[in-house]
Amino acid sequence: MLPKFPLSRRQILFLGLSGLAGSAAVTAGKVVNTNSQVQALYNPQRDFKVVGQNSLKQRAASKGIIYGAAVEPEFFQSNTPFRASFLKDCGMIVPENSLKWTQLRPAPERYDFAKADWLAAFARAHGMLYRGHTLVWHNDIPVWFKEVVNRQNAEKVLVDHITTVSKRYAGKMHSWDVVNEAIDPESGRSDALQTSPWLDFLGPDYIELAFRATAAADPKAMLVYNETWIEYDIPKHEARRKATLKLLENLLKKGTPIHALGIQSHLMAHEKGLNPKKLRAFLSNVASLGLKILITELDVIDQQLPADSAVRDRMVASVYEDYLSVVLDEKAVIAVLTWGLSDRYTWHASFLPRSDGKPVRPLPLDFNFQRKLAWNAIARAFDQARKR
Ligand code: 9MR
């Protein structure tokens, strides 16, 4: 079911859209475009040709890169053609929601692993990698939490959860987003940490604690810190990049078992702030800490693009290729994961709907699982990437 548009205050806060400073602003719950970026994106001459028949996962793999997507079990169960498309293009599965606290923990003493186990078995049966999202996220707090968790038991609750969940998939998980979105430059704190019950109860060390608990339970998984809205050359993203680097440096200084940065990459087609030089420098800085980088939740927000789907698809494809050509230039980037594969199943439909009511088109395949120019753009970026 689609929520009402304009977005509710809760959705805007959830998305952090109030921080899309610079070229877009939120007025009365509506994202309003105030620049010419959208016009500049349209180039009818731009060539999105791809060579050969290889799938995305094959093109990526030939460069030592993993391609995969987020999904939920019900997408497969209700739709056989989607399953075929997913198997063809994806080398990795990420449960979009099934490994979150709110899904796994219906009650304080009860775990429900049904969906996450189903996806793990599906991945194994089809020779795909499996990746975990996420063990700690301030936005993913079950309703019972407030009544049950306090300063005295918070550490035990957190470590028990992490241990139970990560032990269950130990040795089978490629990587875990151990902590998600721990930074908020607008929190007013000098360390720019995002307010969260974990921060309230345990202080800033909850992050290190979470990484150590995950490493103890699953010593083989790659442990990732996952962050959002750090892609563009706008003040809020710049501040978050700075705080992210600092956080990573501090964690490493303390010997925390952390292996990679996840860059979510929900790209804003209307945003003119993509600055290849600055983004590239940030990636180099992360890589020079000895960390790998994963593009973890890639998709393109087409909310402010023209209604015409051919025009829109061309613009979305440009955003994909422009972004990926910068990030894949950094050899530390080892995976590109889109937040969904087909426009039929995308969080944008409910969180970032268009004001004209037209279906959103943020992903590589359309509503009927046909390739769009976005698919070509991703394929081209893999083809042009250097081997890792
Ligand atoms: O796509 C996810 C949506 O279905 C959920 O309702 C929402 C809340 O759990 O989370 C969405 O995924 C988010 C991800 O977990 C973290 N980064 C932002 C993603 C989009 O909101």
Side-chain angles (χ1 to χ4, degrees), residues 1-15 17 29 31 75 96-97 100 299 301-303 339 342-355 357-363 367:
M1 197 182 72
L2 294 184
K4 288 186 190 67
F5 192 85
L7 299 179
S8 69
R9 188 174 147 67
R10 195 175 162 271
Q11 281 174 319
I12 291 167
L13 287 176
F14 174 86
L15 292 166
L17 281 181
V31 183
F75 305 170
E96 184 169 347
N97 293 310
K100 290 176 180 168
D299 55 18
I301 299 170
D302 71 344
Q303 210 177 26
W339 207 236
S342 149
D343 293 339
R344 188 180 293 232
Y345 309 112
T346 165
W347 67 291
H348 292 200
S350 47
F351 283 88
L352 294 161
R354 293 173 57 85
S355 55
K358 296 217 180 293
V360 291
R361 302 177 67 86
L363 289 165
F367 196 87

Side-chain angles (χ1 to χ4, degrees), residues 10 14-15 70 72 75 95-97 100 102-103 133-134 137 139-140 177 180-181 226-229 264 266 296-297 299 339 346-348 350-352:
R10 195 175 162 271
F14 174 86
L15 292 166
E72 281 296 296
F75 305 170
E96 184 169 347
N97 293 310
K100 290 176 180 168
T102 38
Q103 306 271 320
H133 172 85
T134 171
W137 183 22
N139 238 329
D140 177 39
D177 287 338
N180 189 42
E181 302 172 13
N226 197 41
E227 194 49 271
T228 191
W229 309 125
Q264 291 188 11
H266 297 293
T296 49
E297 304 183 15
D299 55 18
W339 207 236
T346 165
W347 67 291
H348 292 200
S350 47
F351 283 88
L352 294 161

